[in-house]
Amino acid sequence: MKEDILQMLKSRKDFVSGQELCEYFQVSRTAVWKVIGQLKSEGYEIEAINRKGYRLIASPDILTEAEILSGMTTEVMGRHVYYYDCLGSTNDQARMLAEQGAPDGSLVVAETQNTGKGRMGRAFFSPEGCGIWMSLILKPDIPPVDASMITLLGAMAVQEMMESFGLESGIKWPNDLVIDHRKTTGILTEMSAGPDVVNYIVIGIGINVNMKEFPEELRETAISMAMASGQTYHRAEIIRRVMQYFETNYRQFLKDGNLAFLKKKYDASLIHLNKEISIHEIRRVWRGVSRGINDIGELIVSVDGEETTVRSGEVSIRGVYGYAE
């Protein structure tokens, strides 16, 4: 009920009477009063005047369940929110919840992580109060071999979110979002599956949102949305937009069984399209020219006039002259 009352307050510019809230939600005045008190304690600035009711003056930049769900327009994605002040890793927690039966589309969000990780086991910088560290639980009826396409759907959803805020970003296949040659988002997809069935997929997304600076070792390679635009962002709204864009594309993917519908837009977002790249495999490193993705999300690479493909999760891509030139 808290998120519903919060959404009603957000939707009104004027006061909402206590009586209206009681009648609409079929609860007592005491119940409404308790919710208002909880919201105030979380940092919401709410004006209360006798015989007028309640009016929301300002919302804090917090990532509580109520704040995330208030205004959520999806049908499945992010409709169940598990919020934590601190986790080791949202992906680890999401996997545990998935094993315990958390429903499809469940979203795990933490204010901070202390053992967050990216691809290839790399540590992920996850400070408190300025980023988004979240993991989405998916239970699709697809063959395990198709799971790698989920990473590309996540990257596209974040790119579309940034575009909706007027921010230009690019994708470094398959899982990084880049602004001004520096990383702003990382994605890590993990799966539990049998030989022919997916039990669940967890897609972890870390977004640098309101950071003003980074540790010295990251200053040349990392950037936040705020640093790129000079603005600050309400993180719950970013989450809601990512969930909406992801759900739209994910539904189409499940219907089609491939990414043909997304290929043109995805290719246009690639920062290394038609550029020479370095492909890092476990036992070798080789070079080629990136030619975009095929219908199943593999990267097409041209080598001496011959085309080959590489699959997400098998390799690491680097620009020849740096991280993301």
Side-chain angles (χ1 to χ4, degrees), residues 159 162-170 177-180 184 228:
Q159 198 274 339
M162 291 188 182
E163 188 177 58
S164 75
F165 282 107
L167 264 176
E168 292 187 11
S169 64
L177 270 290
V178 175
I179 297 176
D180 192 26
T184 184

Side-chain angles (χ1 to χ4, degrees), residues 170-240:
I171 297 173
K172 187 176 79 68
W173 181 92
N175 66 319
D176 287 352
L177 270 290
V178 175
I179 297 176
D180 192 26
H181 307 288
R182 290 181 285 173
K183 181 176 177 178
T184 184
T185 300
I187 297 171
L188 176 64
T189 303
E190 300 177 299
M191 174 176 62
S192 169
D196 301 307
V197 63
V198 170
N199 299 321
Y200 60 83
I201 294 170
V202 169
I203 177 169
I205 301 175
I207 307 174
N208 299 331
V209 181
N210 289 324
M211 291 84 160
K212 302 302 182 184
E213 62 179 0
F214 286 90
E216 186 175 353
E217 66 271 17
L218 296 176
R219 287 173 189 167
E220 298 298 319
T221 57
I223 193 171
S224 70
M225 293 172 62
M227 290 167 66
S229 67
Q231 302 177 20
T232 56
Y233 297 89
H234 198 273
R235 292 175 296 156
E237 176 59 24
I238 288 175
I239 291 175
R240 290 191 289 265

